[in-house]
Amino acid sequence: MTFFDLLQLLDSAFRLATPLLLACLAGLFSERAGIFDIGLEGKMLASAFLSAAVAAITGSVWIGLLAGIGASVLMSLIHGLASITFRGNQIISGVAINFLAAGLTVVISQSWFGQGGRTPQLSGAGRFEPIPWPGALPSRELADAGPAMQLYSELLSGHTIWVYLAVPIVFASWWVLFRTRLGLRLRAVGENPAAVDTAGISVVGLRYTAVIICGVLCGIAGAYLATALQAGFVKDMTAGRGFIALAALIFAKWRPWAALNACLLFGFLQAFALRPDLIEKLLTVKVQVQLLDALPYILTVVILAGLVGKADPPKAGGQPYVKEN
Amino acid sequence: MTAPAIELKGISKAFGPVQANKDISIRVMPGTIHGIIGENGAGKSTLMSILYGFYKADAGEVFIAGQKTEIPDSQAAIAAGIGMVFQHFKLVENFTVLENVVLGAEDGPRLGPSLRKARKQLTELAAEYELSIDPDAVIQDIGVGMQQRVEILKALYRQADILILDEPTGVLTPAEADQLFRILQRLKDEGKTIILITHKLREIMEATDTVSVMRRGEMTATVKTADTSPEELAELMVGRKVLLQVDKTPAKPGAPILEVDRLNVTDAAGVHRVKDVSLTVRAGEVLGIAGVAGNGQSELLEVLGGYQSATGTIRMNGQPLDLTGRASDGQSRRARGIAHVPEDRQREGLIMDFHAWENVAFGYHHDGAYQANRWLMNNAAIKADTEAKMGRFDVRPPNPALNAKNFSGGNQQKIVLAREIERNPDLLLVGQPTRGVDIGAIEFIHQQIIALRDQGKAILLVSVELDEIMSLSDRIAVMFDGSIMGERLPQDTDERELGLLMAGMNGKAA
Amino acid sequence: MKPIPGWADVILIPLVSVVLAALCAAVLVLAIDENPVEAMKLMIDGTLFRSAGWGFMLYYTTNFIFTGLAVSIAFHAALFNIGGEGQAMLGGLGVALVCLFIPWPHWTLAIIGASVGAMVFGAIWAAIPAYLQAKRGSHIVITTIMFNFIAAALLNYLLVNTLKPVGSMDPATASFPAGTHLPTFQDMAALVGFDGMFRGSPANVSFFLAIIACVALWALIWRTRLGYQIRALGHSPSAAQYAGISPAKIIVVTMLISGGLAGMMAVNTTQGEAERLILNFTEGAGFLGIAVALMGRSHPFGVFLAALLFGFLFQGGAELGFWTSIPRELILVIQALVILFVGALDNMVRMMVGQVFGLIGYKEAA
């Protein structure tokens, strides 16, 4: 494997890790506040569809993004209604949201566009375009360029804005959770809602705030899939990314910077799985693509089994809060 | 004349048919420590929850410093200068002391300035009230005494003038408790008003200026602590209840059935619950264990029932029982002739959503008489057995198909009792046999227990009801803080002496 | 919340939830400029008024009974098995190995062998999450989700690399030998002289296995010591401990049964219909088991009815996809709404029903 192969792999890993990371941070806010969310997948899917649809209709990816966020937040509010207001089962609610999104996106896109559950191909302002850095060479001219140029042009230059924003968003998430009043309260309500309640703060209000933040981040993740990574929505395009994000969240033990690492790792595995030729070149044995697909899940089970450190979820996670003393 | 720091007028609160607080009025003057004493379930905690905005009173008014004050939620209580230290701390375990103190009392959206300010104030408060603490320690790493200190600091940081402590020493060692009382004294000297809720007489006598006694939801007396004595308070607290007379002949104790030697239990949280307990129960006698709830009796029953591990030795009919939990469970204990009427029938003794007949098989579901063949249970046989048991124990309505939750407390208890007693055990463990049971059923249940004793069975009775202990037991042991404070014969003692032992004071010495 | 009688909780809540789900779906159909009444008529005509429609419906129903029972038995122990999908996939693998590598003289023997294979493989796949839950406290919901994906990758690997016949491009095993082929409803109808009934529809004898499974599970839950202990643990872990019922043991045994049941659906799809193991044969039936179990209130008879309803919806949805511009994914929406109303917003539905009972003056008996 050449240096350039590696760069291409990392380049692809960055792109693939970005939606995982956004969804993972979404889950981080929700679960840190004590609301388990296995509906990340559904929220991303809803946003992917609506962002692509609205971007196709309006020709503006930014309006599309807003619409996507709206769809995702709506799903979050359903989850909140079930799990916060009506103290229902958070797991069941999450399952329902995944199916709701899987069904609705196809039914509506068929009705709007009649293309078998697709949205029209996006181009130009309807998409998040790669941002080339000054002086960067196109890929086909890079094979003979020097390593510094290769690094600059292939790996650093030419990503969409969300790839560049990923690390700032991790920082912002960390900052909000650990350096602000809101973050302190969100973390507290996920550990011991009674402590928050006796301190005179609304548990319900905080938890709704958390699921809405979760909706916004999932919305961006979904919109990224349909308008940046791809050029339009196709049926089931999230392809389990919501669950990989969930796995990454557990793998990262509910911490933002560790989430970045976990998502990079899982993104790298996804990138690798797309290039079986490189694996063969690298390891000289044929590594099965399916193993790479399964690796995030296997690693998460290992973590959950407590074989490598212990993943302690927020203590009040999954339980509706009932006031008592 | 200064207005009382806090005054309650005619507070009443009912939960369904249960009147938890009945027309309660108290005045507490500023800069004093006021004690509220009463048995478990007397309504103390309900009253304090009303003060802290957790429950809304059905009737009555609250005055803070002379001002009529509405307290719809905790926010309002905090604003009115009330700070509460709950029995179960409301701390975020993986937060630092500082973060817990700041939570809910932040100064702005950014945490940094709030934390800096709190750190400074915490140092000042620590100096002022001698409450030194490491602000960066994480709650789960510090002891319960320190955690309680954090709760107090939380209240002080919110500028509470009135501090309510609900059973503050329940989880503390005696040394920690002493320290707490020094702190409270200090707070009082600085002008704070303190309400101390407890069931321990010693604490009332040592720490308070005035004391109110609650019994069954009512305030029975308010006196100056200096003008009263532990004996008088014990009497007011327990009340001269009409002794339920149980017709029984003197016991004819036989061979030792149960021998417990230096039993120690440490629970999952690392709290030492049972300390060097040794006792013997003989055939044909009732050993009553008196004590306020939470002093190790429950753990003792759990060990004997097979689902709590312990160290020490227990012999049943001379043969040792496994205490490690590896070779024993509820099933193996039953096989050794131990029947168990647990303290909490709704949590342990019954499955509330099961039919009565399913509950009659509970714990004995492997019994051959309940099986139709190798594979299936004989539900008809269980139902028939249930019907017979319901008849003999006068369970009403005598309908085996009714769910356990649809019976009254007394009838639920009769179902459990019927199930356990009719197994003809060598030893019957009975916890709180008449808790939440109506008068008629109490008498019946007591008779059944004595009848079993007269058949020559050994009975270990745990109860927080002193009159129950007095009327049923042939010997009485009192547990306090995990240890047995002493053993008495019912004819040689009285409720006053037992009450003092239960409160951790040696009756003869007081 | 106002009280409602017990029967209403069992019967009325699911019914009201289905009606609510249907109403929401109708609004959706209206929103996409189609006629919900026409759509309903089409679903009924295409499913209930043609024998082949019944044949498809009962084929789907068979799957849903198995996966619904799988989720139900776990619910009785207060466990949430989301892993039905993965367990079914492994069940398919078990069926394929049994059918491909053992020469079966007759389908009556083959179906027994395949059932054993399906159950064993499904159970093994459930055993690991069960063990981790029982011994290490790993959240079974998350581990079973992860195991679904691992199962999908495993099946993908085996079909692409190992089990695919040489020269085939299709990620599927070779067709099973004729000795394993199960009689379909069409065959059975022909046998008794109704030629052409159920023509071309996939329902087969494994439907009767599903019925047997319902009865067997009913007996297990309400007639055996094991079922007794499972329910006791599910209702009250603290009471179970008092009675000497081992939580770890019951958790593992329950999940083995659950996984085995989920695996059984492969007898219907893999041996009965496809007659070879194909990728993605589960088609979400493992997840649908959640809706079926919730709707059927975890009772085998309720599961049977709910599975019929979803069988109808699946076949009806296919009809819609065939004859109208409404895609069959509409069924996913209905499924989601049923899960939402019966399982997550049940307190809301209960509150609504309670209001109605309050209006007619119902009070809880003391």
Side-chain angles (χ1 to χ4, degrees):
Chain A
M1 190 164 82
T2 64
F3 180 64
F4 189 58
D5 287 339
L6 180 68
L7 287 180
Q8 282 187 320
L9 208 55
L10 286 173
D11 178 66
S12 165
F14 284 178
R15 270 199 290 267
L16 291 166
T18 300
L20 298 181
L21 183 62
L22 291 166
C24 186
L25 293 173
L28 180 74
F29 276 98
S30 185
E31 300 209 347
R32 274 285 189 158
I35 302 293
F36 278 167
D37 195 349
I38 63 170
L40 298 174
E41 176 90 356
K43 290 194 223 35
M44 281 168 84
L45 195 63
S47 163
F49 162 68
L50 204 64
S51 61
V54 170
I57 294 165
T58 63
S60 160
V61 68
W62 291 102
I63 298 176
L65 174 69
L66 282 181
I69 291 174
S72 174
V73 168
L74 188 69
M75 295 277 169
S76 280
L77 290 177
I78 294 175
H79 190 49
L81 188 72
S83 51
I84 305 169
T85 306
F86 286 104
R87 296 182 187 136
N89 186 314
Q90 299 174 9
I91 306 291
I92 294 177
S93 169
V95 170
I97 280 166
N98 287 335
F99 286 125
L100 195 60
L104 275 179
T105 51
V106 177
V107 171
I108 297 175
S109 68
Q110 176 64 23
S111 161
W112 287 1
F113 304 107
Q115 297 182 7
R118 292 173 159 275
T119 60
Q121 198 75 10
L122 296 171
S123 60
R127 261 194 96 186
F128 286 108
E129 293 282 357
I131 302 168
W133 288 15
L137 297 173
S139 247
R140 57 180 185 282
E141 293 169 30
L142 276 175
D144 305 321
M149 190 51 166
Q150 285 180 338
L151 181 83
Y152 179 78
S153 299
E154 181 65 28
L155 189 58
L156 299 180
S157 163
H159 290 288
T160 55
I161 182 164
W162 294 109
V163 176
Y164 297 120
L165 282 178
V167 172
I169 289 176
V170 176
F171 175 81
S173 300
W174 167 82
W175 190 79
V176 168
L177 274 175
F178 294 94
R179 288 292 180 270
T180 69
R181 174 175 68 188
L182 176 66
L184 185 78
R185 292 176 173 189
L186 285 179
R187 286 184 290 130
V189 83
E191 287 289 330
N192 186 358
V196 171
D197 195 19
T198 51
I201 315 164
S202 159
V203 171
V204 169
L206 274 176
R207 289 192 159 169
Y208 265 105
T209 308
V211 295
I212 288 170
I213 295 174
C214 170
V216 171
L217 286 167
C218 268
I220 301 174
Y224 173 88
L225 284 180
T227 61
L229 196 64
Q230 316 274 337
F233 172 82
V234 287
K235 177 179 156 177
D236 281 332
M237 78 180 304
T238 41
R241 283 187 172 88
F243 291 103
I244 298 188
L246 198 65
L249 183 59
I250 296 163
F251 202 70
K253 298 174 184 172
W254 293 269
R255 292 171 305 178
W257 289 107
L260 174 66
N261 294 334
C263 290
L264 276 176
L265 172 66
F266 292 174
F268 190 72
L269 291 174
Q270 286 189 335
F272 234 136
L274 292 176
R275 295 290 303 271
D277 57 312
L278 286 183
I279 307 168
E280 223 173 321
K281 255 199 265 181
L282 182 68
L283 300 170
T284 66
V285 288
K286 211 171 160 203
V287 170
Q288 295 308 327
V289 178
Q290 292 87 357
L291 177 66
L292 293 172
D293 285 340
L295 212 48
Y297 307 114
I298 294 172
L299 289 173
T300 304
V301 171
V302 169
I303 286 279
L304 276 173
L307 300 179
V308 188
K310 189 89 185 105
D312 283 322
K315 270 203 199 65
Q319 297 152 9
Y321 177 59
V322 183
K323 185 178 279 207
E324 57 182 54
N325 64 331
Chain B
M1 186 188 150
T2 51
I6 187 161
E7 180 171 15
L8 307 182
K9 281 187 188 165
I11 298 281
S12 291
K13 173 76 187 171
F15 296 102
V18 183
Q19 190 76 34
N21 283 164
K22 229 177 291 176
D23 193 23
I24 304 252
S25 299
I26 320 181
R27 294 157 65 93
V28 182
M29 300 310 285
T32 63
I33 300 182
H34 184 85
I36 297 181
I37 192 161
E39 290 186 301
N40 287 75
K44 299 168 295 186
S45 292
T46 304
L47 187 62
M48 292 309 121
S49 296
I50 289 169
L51 257 183
Y52 202 64
F54 262 35
Y55 301 137
K56 194 180 173 317
D58 300 334
E61 295 172 322
V62 178
F63 294 84
I64 308 281
Q67 296 286 315
K68 186 171 181 318
T69 310
E70 296 288 336
I71 306 179
D73 53 28
S74 310
Q75 188 102 55
I78 295 166
I82 300 175
M84 181 100 172
V85 177
F86 289 90
Q87 193 174 356
H88 304 287
F89 304 146
K90 310 291 182 188
L91 296 171
V92 182
E93 294 238 307
N94 61 354
F95 276 18
T96 63
V97 170
L98 196 59
E99 288 170 328
N100 269 291
V101 168
V102 163
L103 180 68
E106 307 89 343
D107 292 306
R110 282 181 57 216
L111 210 49
S114 302
L115 288 175
R116 273 191 293 279
K117 182 184 141 199
R119 185 184 295 274
K120 192 163 150 280
Q121 278 204 7
L122 219 50
T123 322
E124 288 166 13
L125 285 171
E128 194 177 344
Y129 299 105
E130 292 173 26
L131 285 166
S132 66
I133 196 160
D134 173 9
D136 298 312
V138 177
I139 298 297
Q140 62 203 6
D141 301 335
I142 62 179
V144 281
M146 272 296 166
Q147 293 182 0
Q148 190 172 58
R149 194 174 278 199
V150 178
E151 287 283 21
I152 296 171
L153 283 165
K154 260 169 74 175
L156 295 176
Y157 185 73
R158 287 160 175 72
Q159 287 159 345
D161 291 320
I162 303 161
L163 196 62
I164 305 170
L165 297 102
D166 189 7
E167 299 286 356
T169 59
V171 290
L172 301 184
T173 64
E176 284 173 326
D178 287 343
Q179 176 133 31
L180 172 70
F181 289 120
R182 280 201 296 278
I183 292 167
L184 294 184
Q185 212 59 47
R186 179 85 187 198
L187 288 167
K188 175 187 139 181
D189 295 345
E190 299 285 337
K192 305 283 185 196
T193 309
I194 290 161
I195 299 179
L196 175 68
I197 304 168
T198 182
H199 60 253
K200 294 180 185 163
L201 286 167
R202 186 178 70 103
E203 295 171 2
I204 292 290
M205 297 310 294
E206 279 180 13
T208 64
D209 301 307
T210 50
V211 55
S212 298
V213 183
M214 280 189 83
R215 194 171 75 217
R216 293 185 184 168
E218 290 182 84
M219 197 66 85
T220 51
T222 299
V223 289
K224 281 206 163 70
T225 311
D227 299 344
T228 187
S229 65
E231 286 81 3
E232 189 192 3
L233 286 177
E235 203 176 301
L236 282 166
M237 184 171 135
V238 178
R240 284 243 167 257
K241 293 175 200 163
V242 185
L243 265 188
L244 291 161
Q245 279 304 314
V246 181
D247 285 332
K248 61 170 191 174
T249 52
K252 302 182 193 70
I257 299 292
L258 177 75
E259 296 160 277
V260 176
D261 190 26
R262 276 168 311 191
L263 190 76
N264 280 280
V265 176
T266 303
D267 71 9
V271 181
H272 198 175
R273 292 291 182 185
V274 176
K275 298 168 185 166
D276 276 331
V277 164
S278 299
L279 50 84
T280 302
V281 191
R282 295 172 175 277
E285 70 164 357
V286 176
L287 173 66
I289 297 191
V292 172
N295 278 295
Q297 310 97 308
S298 306
E299 288 76 10
L300 177 64
L301 283 180
E302 285 170 9
V303 170
L304 292 167
Y307 50 105
Q308 166 74 53
S309 54
T311 58
T313 53
I314 300 181
R315 285 172 187 278
M316 179 69 197
N317 287 323
Q319 297 299 311
L321 290 179
D322 173 68
L323 299 183
T324 61
R326 281 192 289 275
S328 63
D329 59 13
Q331 287 293 314
S332 65
R333 289 290 199 271
R334 284 172 180 79
R336 293 289 292 274
I338 301 177
H340 183 184
V341 176
E343 288 183 293
D344 189 339
R345 62 179 166 269
Q346 305 205 341
R347 217 180 76 84
E348 294 191 329
L350 294 167
I351 292 187
M352 301 310 281
D353 288 324
F354 268 17
H355 300 297
W357 64 268
E358 288 174 302
N359 274 302
V360 162
F362 194 53
Y364 301 97
H365 44 277
H366 290 291
D367 183 345
Y370 290 159
Q371 317 303 324
N373 52 48
R374 239 186 101 188
W375 304 101
L376 300 181
M377 292 178 88
N378 188 347
N379 290 354
I382 304 174
K383 281 174 196 163
D385 189 32
T386 304
E387 210 145 348
K389 284 189 163 73
M390 285 179 140
R392 285 193 292 272
F393 277 75
D394 192 29
V395 176
R396 285 179 226 177
N399 178 1
L402 222 51
N403 281 356
K405 66 179 173 200
N406 295 333
F407 288 92
S408 71
N411 285 302
Q412 286 174 357
Q413 191 68 319
K414 283 182 187 173
I415 293 173
V416 178
L417 213 64
R419 177 179 80 204
E420 301 299 328
I421 284 186
E422 297 216 335
R423 287 284 145 183
N424 198 23
D426 292 337
L427 169 68
L428 180 71
L429 311 170
V430 200
Q432 321 299 350
T434 55
R435 177 183 282 170
V437 166
D438 44 296
I439 298 283
I442 290 178
E443 202 181 344
F444 180 85
I445 289 169
H446 284 173
Q447 283 165 359
Q448 293 297 324
I449 292 172
I450 292 304
L452 191 70
R453 179 201 75 163
D454 291 342
Q455 289 167 33
K457 307 299 184 184
I459 290 165
L460 181 73
L461 166 75
V462 168
S463 177
V464 294
E465 300 290 340
L466 261 189
D467 48 353
E468 181 164 76
I469 293 279
M470 292 288 280
S471 55
L472 287 183
S473 310
D474 300 310
R475 280 186 299 131
I476 298 169
V478 182
M479 267 185 99
F480 172 77
D481 195 25
S483 306
I484 298 216
M485 295 295 289
E487 254 190 55
R488 300 284 185 274
L489 295 174
Q491 58 271 27
D492 298 342
T493 186
D494 55 22
E495 301 207 334
R496 187 177 300 181
E497 188 194 18
L498 292 177
L500 290 170
L501 284 169
M502 282 164 62
M505 299 170 83
N506 190 310
K508 298 291 179 222
Chain C
M1 209 182 294
K2 293 202 163 56
I4 58 173
W7 63 265
D9 201 66
V10 174
I11 298 168
L12 222 47
I13 301 294
L15 283 182
V16 171
S17 299
V18 169
V19 171
L20 284 173
L23 285 176
C24 292
V27 170
L28 178 64
V29 171
L30 275 176
I32 60 173
D33 287 333
E34 294 279 344
N35 184 338
V37 179
E38 284 296 315
M40 192 65 199
K41 237 182 112 228
L42 196 62
M43 288 172 78
I44 291 174
D45 284 346
T47 306
L48 302 182
F49 290 103
R50 287 192 309 130
S51 65
W54 278 89
F56 276 99
M57 177 174 102
L58 295 178
Y59 168 73
Y60 294 125
T61 298
T62 306
N63 289 342
F64 302 155
I65 288 176
F66 282 125
T67 57
L69 290 177
V71 178
S72 295
I73 182 76
F75 273 158
H76 276 288
L79 296 167
F80 198 159
N81 177 14
I82 299 199
E85 192 80 0
Q87 290 143 19
M89 284 182 206
L90 264 286
L93 184 62
V95 169
L97 295 179
V98 166
C99 289
L100 285 172
F101 297 109
I102 300 176
W104 296 101
H106 192 263
W107 69 266
T108 46
L109 295 173
I111 197 171
I112 296 171
S115 297
V116 170
M119 286 194 283
V120 167
F121 274 65
I124 288 172
W125 210 243
I128 306 165
Y131 176 82
L132 293 176
Q133 169 79 63
K135 292 291 181 187
R136 309 203 61 109
S138 320
H139 204 313
I140 202 157
V141 169
I142 305 290
T143 47
T144 50
I145 290 175
M146 299 298 140
F147 267 68
N148 283 338
F149 287 101
I150 300 171
L154 179 67
L155 204 64
N156 190 338
Y157 167 77
L158 289 174
L159 287 180
V160 171
N161 297 285
T162 315
L163 294 172
K164 190 174 63 176
V166 182
S168 163
M169 293 303 291
D170 212 11
T173 63
S175 286
F176 300 159
T180 68
H181 293 183
L182 298 181
T184 62
F185 276 25
Q186 189 181 352
D187 302 335
M188 287 185 276
L191 211 63
V192 291
F194 292 101
D195 269 330
M197 279 269 279
F198 301 112
R199 186 191 297 275
S201 65
N204 58 68
V205 285
S206 44
F207 174 70
F208 300 106
L209 280 187
I211 305 274
I212 294 170
C214 279
V215 177
L217 203 70
W218 172 82
L220 176 85
I221 296 171
W222 278 285
R223 286 291 180 275
T224 68
R225 285 191 298 283
L226 176 62
Y228 182 89
Q229 295 179 72
I230 290 173
R231 288 184 296 126
L233 177 70
H235 277 296
S236 173
S238 54
Q241 200 179 30
Y242 153 80
I245 295 168
S246 157
K249 190 179 125 194
I250 298 298
I251 287 173
V252 171
V253 172
T254 306
M255 283 300 288
L256 289 178
I257 297 170
S258 179
L261 283 166
M264 276 299 289
M265 80 161 255
V267 175
N268 183 43
T269 54
T270 305
Q271 187 184 14
E273 198 257 342
E275 296 176 346
R276 58 188 187 139
L277 180 62
I278 56 177
L279 212 54
N280 302 329
F281 73 91
T282 48
E283 289 184 303
F287 290 119
L288 216 137
I290 298 166
V292 170
L294 288 170
M295 170 96 204
R297 284 288 188 250
S298 300
H299 189 289
F301 186 63
V303 165
F304 175 74
L305 293 181
L308 271 179
L309 175 75
F310 278 103
F312 163 77
L313 286 173
F314 246 61
Q315 169 54 16
E319 290 287 320
L320 286 183
F322 201 70
W323 297 108
T324 71
S325 64
I326 306 173
R328 62 177 303 178
E329 276 79 3
L330 179 68
I331 302 314
L332 277 178
V333 177
I334 297 178
Q335 176 189 341
L337 292 168
V338 168
I339 293 177
L340 193 65
F341 286 124
V342 192
L345 282 170
D346 51 334
N347 285 334
M348 184 184 84
V349 178
R350 213 166 270 136
M351 202 179 276
M352 290 161 49
V353 173
Q355 293 287 349
V356 174
F357 273 98
L359 284 180
I360 60 171
Y362 174 80
K363 284 201 181 67
E364 194 164 24

